[in-house]
Structures are given as C-alpha cells and as structure tokens.
Amino acid sequence: MSAQPAKPAKPTGLDAISGDLNKLAQHFKTDKWGIHRYTQHYQRHLGHLKNESFNLLEIGIGGYNRPGQGGASLRMWKQFFPKARIFGMDIQDKSFVDEDRITTFIGDQSDPSSLNAVVDKIGELDVIIDDGSHRSPHVLTTFATLFPRLKDGGIYIVEDTQSSYWPEWQGSEDLDAAHTSMGMLKRLVDGLNYEEFVTENYQPTYTDLNVVGVHFYHNLVIIEKGRNAEGSNKRSALKQRYAKS
C-alpha cells in the first residue's frame, strides 16, 4: 500500500494573514484600517499586483518627528506584496525603517525638485500613495509632479481627502473651490470625458489624456493611469450642431 502524500502545512503567523490587508493593517498597527477603512479598497484595486515585482512609493511614513515612530504601512505593504520593492518618503529622517525591500528617503512633497530627486533614485513607479501632509497645495504639487512619472497601467492614490474641506488645513468650506485637493480630483472626472466636450478648439490636458479611471471612497481617491482615447459618438448624436462645421 503506497504512502499518502503529506498534506502541506497550514500557514502560521504572518503567513496565515498575508493575503488579507485588513488583518495585516491591524497587525502592523497602521491607521489604514481602524481609524480609516482604506485597506478594503486597496485589496480590491491592488490585489492584481499581489505576486508581481513592482515599485511602490508611499509619501508620508508616519510618526511625525517622534524618534523611532512610523513605517507601519510600509511593513504592511512588504508583507502583502512579497516581490515588490517598497519605498517611503518623509520630510523627517525615517531611515530606521529601512530593511530588505524597504527603502526610505528624506523629501519635501511641496517641492517638485525634491520629489523628482527621489523618483530619480527609485526608477519606474507602479503605485504612488500620497499619505503626506494632506494640505491641498502639497497634494496638488505632488500630483502634478509625480503623476506624469507613473507608468502606464499604474495607480495613484490620495488619502485623507477630508482635509480638503477644512480651512485650518489649507482646504475650503466652498465645495466648488478649485484650489483644493478635492477640487482637483473632481476635475479629473470631467477630464475622463473630454472627448464629449462641445467647446470648440478644446485642448486636452495631460490628465485628460492619461486618466482612465477615478474611484472615490470616504476620504480616499484611487486613480488609474492609461491612454484615454476611446472616441465619441457626439457628431452622430449632435448632427445639427456639427452640420455647421
């Protein structure tokens, strides 16, 4: 009688929860689950990268200027993505977080030259997460600088967008304010549909041409990058308008 093959051992410890971002967030004590409810959305939008080799940059490492504090989410990403290289950028020195597959940089997200210097050291970026100061001017500068440097098919994420509504955090009570982070992010939705605009001689922006999806959640926005050129039926639907041209 032949021996039965041994059953594979059940994963234990961190390996047992390595596929569940909610549980990993709780283990590493990152506020991406608990204070917020972000990891359930990350699981959906980043799950396809689970076993891929890629580069992830998170701006804002946490812990503020308290010695030895921060890095919880970087450790979470490392555990969830076993083949990824994880990078963090912070205005404070967080080099104590560095370990195999985690590298940190000192950088200022309000300064395009500082942002570009960090990315020059990393190379190609597949995922960018802005969990930095949450001040609207900084969010806008970071997006304008780094979104063009994100690879096609990449994902750009802005966390803690609630600050966009807080004047005390350089936001605005005006829901239509153009200078806030939410004002910029909401404009991306119109840009998705730039081919439907009837404004004569409209020139599409870089984001019009390169944003293919925008997902809004409570305090979290996830943006997909790709070639946005699906075409339009406006000339056949608006025959009277375009008969003049």
Side-chain angles (χ1 to χ4, degrees):
M1 186 174 180
S2 60
Q4 294 295 316
K7 290 184 178 180
K10 290 187 71 172
T12 59
L14 273 178
D15 289 340
I17 61 170
S18 63
D20 189 325
L21 268 173
N22 291 347
K23 291 180 179 177
L24 286 173
Q26 293 173 65
H27 173 84
F28 287 106
K29 296 181 171 57
T30 167
D31 67 1
K32 291 183 186 340
W33 182 259
I35 294 175
H36 303 293
R37 293 289 188 270
Y38 298 159
T39 45
Q40 60 183 332
H41 306 305
Y42 280 129
Q43 186 97 34
R44 181 182 307 118
H45 290 281
L46 300 181
H48 65 288
L49 296 171
K50 180 79 174 82
N51 294 302
E52 299 295 323
S53 298
F54 69 97
N55 292 338
L56 179 153
L57 169 64
E58 181 158 11
I59 296 163
I61 297 175
Y64 302 98
N65 60 356
R66 298 191 296 270
Q69 296 294 308
S73 62
L74 300 184
R75 298 181 187 105
M76 177 191 74
W77 296 129
K78 176 184 173 179
Q79 185 65 33
F80 186 71
F81 297 116
K83 298 180 182 178
R85 295 198 303 162
I86 310 300
F87 300 93
M89 188 190 96
D90 200 282
I91 201 164
Q92 304 288 337
D93 181 2
K94 300 289 181 178
S95 56
F96 67 88
V97 176
D98 291 9
E99 59 183 61
D100 178 45
R101 293 197 299 112
I102 296 179
T103 305
T104 63
F105 300 98
I106 299 174
D108 181 354
Q109 74 169 136
S110 70
D111 179 359
S113 64
S114 181
L115 289 163
N116 279 316
V118 168
V119 178
D120 287 343
K121 294 172 184 173
I122 295 172
E124 188 173 67
L125 283 170
D126 302 80
V127 177
I128 299 171
I129 302 167
D130 183 350
D131 187 19
S133 76
H134 312 309
R135 268 64 175 178
S136 285
H138 299 172
V139 173
L140 269 63
T141 295
T142 302
F143 183 76
T145 305
L146 294 190
F147 186 73
R149 303 202 62 174
L150 182 69
K151 69 176 280 189
D152 277 354
I155 297 176
Y156 192 104
I157 297 146
V158 181
E159 291 192 0
D160 295 348
T161 53
Q162 69 271 25
S163 60
S164 176
Y165 305 108
W166 301 343
E168 295 87 345
W169 284 54
Q170 296 180 279
S172 176
E173 295 178 49
D174 178 3
L175 302 185
D176 296 318
H179 69 281
T180 66
S181 53
M182 281 300 294
M184 178 273 288
L185 293 163
K186 287 187 283 188
R187 286 194 296 277
L188 296 181
V189 179
D190 284 327
L192 269 172
N193 297 297
Y194 77 92
E195 291 177 301
E196 314 305 338
F197 297 171
V198 294
T199 305
E200 295 296 331
N201 302 316
Y202 176 79
Q203 294 298 311
T205 66
Y206 181 85
T207 53
D208 292 346
L209 295 168
N210 291 280
V211 171
V212 294
V214 187
H215 308 268
F216 286 85
Y217 301 100
H218 185 201
N219 298 339
L220 179 74
V221 180
I222 297 175
I223 303 153
E224 299 176 50
K225 186 173 183 181
R227 183 171 180 269
N228 183 25
E230 294 183 2
S232 170
N233 69 338
K234 67 184 177 186
R235 290 188 173 273
S236 60
L238 304 173
K239 289 179 182 177
Q240 188 171 1
R241 172 186 288 273
Y242 288 102
K244 304 171 188 175
S245 59

